Amino acid sequence: MNTSDIVVNENCISHKVDITKSSNELSVGFATQDIFQPQTTVQISANPVSVFDVAAYILCKLGTITTIKLQKLVYYCQAWSLVWDEQSLFEEPIEAWINGPVVRTLFAYHRGNFQISEIPIGVPAKLSAEQKETINAVLNFYGNKTGQQLVEITHLEDPWKIARTGMSYDERGERIISLESMMEYYTSIADR
């Protein structure tokens, strides 16, 4: 399947998007301001919301932010969705990197950029009202913090520490932060 369309993200700029679907992969190329951007391939999942949709919504709400801050905000959106909505917000795994939680597919997309202002392959309109409410609550609490402050906070919390058990503080790693550890920890602090 091939398609080319103009997509308007909620509260965002419109983009020309070329989509190619084969088996269980989706290749997306996009153009903004008449500049074609590199193609990105993402896995299609049963969950219609991806980390890119969540990230695009965050950027629509906050504008340009650092990529490290974006990574921590999608992590907290996932964590609090597990607690408040009792379901994951997106299916992409979160890894316990040196600088805190990171979604590798999102990192691959923004790699090499210090700041980011939009994610044209994300579609905020896919988010339900409940999901937007959760994200908005996360942004209200964490959105005024810097990326470095969010890194420091995640380093104090159990899900990141548990995933990095046995690793030195500066050791690179790809261990997954489990949804179970996130749900358990954030439920425990929500009850305080």
Side-chain angles (χ1 to χ4, degrees):
M1 173 183 98
N2 276 339
T3 182
S4 180
D5 221 337
I6 299 295
V7 176
V8 179
N9 290 346
E10 182 180 336
N11 302 321
C12 287
I13 193 168
S14 65
H15 308 282
K16 180 173 176 17
V17 180
D18 294 313
I19 302 173
T20 306
K21 179 183 175 194
S22 64
S23 67
N24 67 342
E25 287 196 336
L26 181 68
S27 294
V28 182
F30 57 93
T32 58
Q33 301 170 351
D34 299 324
I35 301 170
F36 189 76
Q37 301 296 319
Q39 197 166 42
T40 301
T41 301
V42 295
Q43 291 293 93
I44 297 172
S45 68
N47 186 343
V49 174
S50 75
V51 71
F52 296 104
D53 303 326
V54 174
Y57 183 78
I58 290 169
L59 294 172
C60 286
K61 290 293 192 177
L62 299 182
T64 302
I65 59 174
T66 64
T67 54
I68 201 162
K69 180 173 181 171
L70 179 63
Q71 286 283 350
K72 303 317 163 252
L73 290 174
V74 297
Y75 166 76
Y76 281 118
C77 288
Q78 179 76 297
W80 289 108
S81 178
L82 291 166
V83 175
W84 296 329
D85 307 330
E86 298 180 350
Q87 62 183 359
S88 65
L89 186 56
F90 54 85
E91 290 185 359
E92 292 89 346
I94 301 171
E95 298 178 7
W97 288 18
I98 293 171
N99 286 321
V102 171
V103 178
R104 182 178 292 274
T105 54
L106 181 58
F107 176 81
Y109 178 83
H110 66 62
R111 184 182 189 133
N113 295 306
F114 177 72
Q115 293 188 323
I116 191 165
S117 59
E118 61 183 356
I119 298 187
I121 64 172
V123 182
K126 285 184 177 181
L127 297 165
S128 70
E130 180 181 52
Q131 291 167 326
K132 289 178 183 178
E133 184 179 330
T134 296
I135 296 168
N136 290 338
V138 168
L139 297 181
N140 286 338
F141 187 80
Y142 297 100
N144 64 342
K145 295 172 177 41
T146 67
Q148 188 56 43
Q149 288 172 320
L150 294 173
V151 167
E152 291 168 8
I153 293 167
T154 61
H155 283 189
L156 298 173
E157 297 174 332
D158 286 351
W160 181 82
K161 293 189 320 190
I162 290 167
R164 292 187 58 86
T165 299
M167 298 175 72
S168 67
Y169 187 78
D170 60 352
E171 183 178 346
R172 287 183 165 203
E174 301 176 350
R175 292 183 185 164
I176 302 297
I177 298 175
S178 76
L179 296 179
E180 295 78 17
S181 72
M182 292 167 67
M183 185 173 210
E184 181 180 328
Y185 177 77
Y186 294 102
T187 298
S188 76
I189 66 170
D191 292 339
R192 291 182 191 165

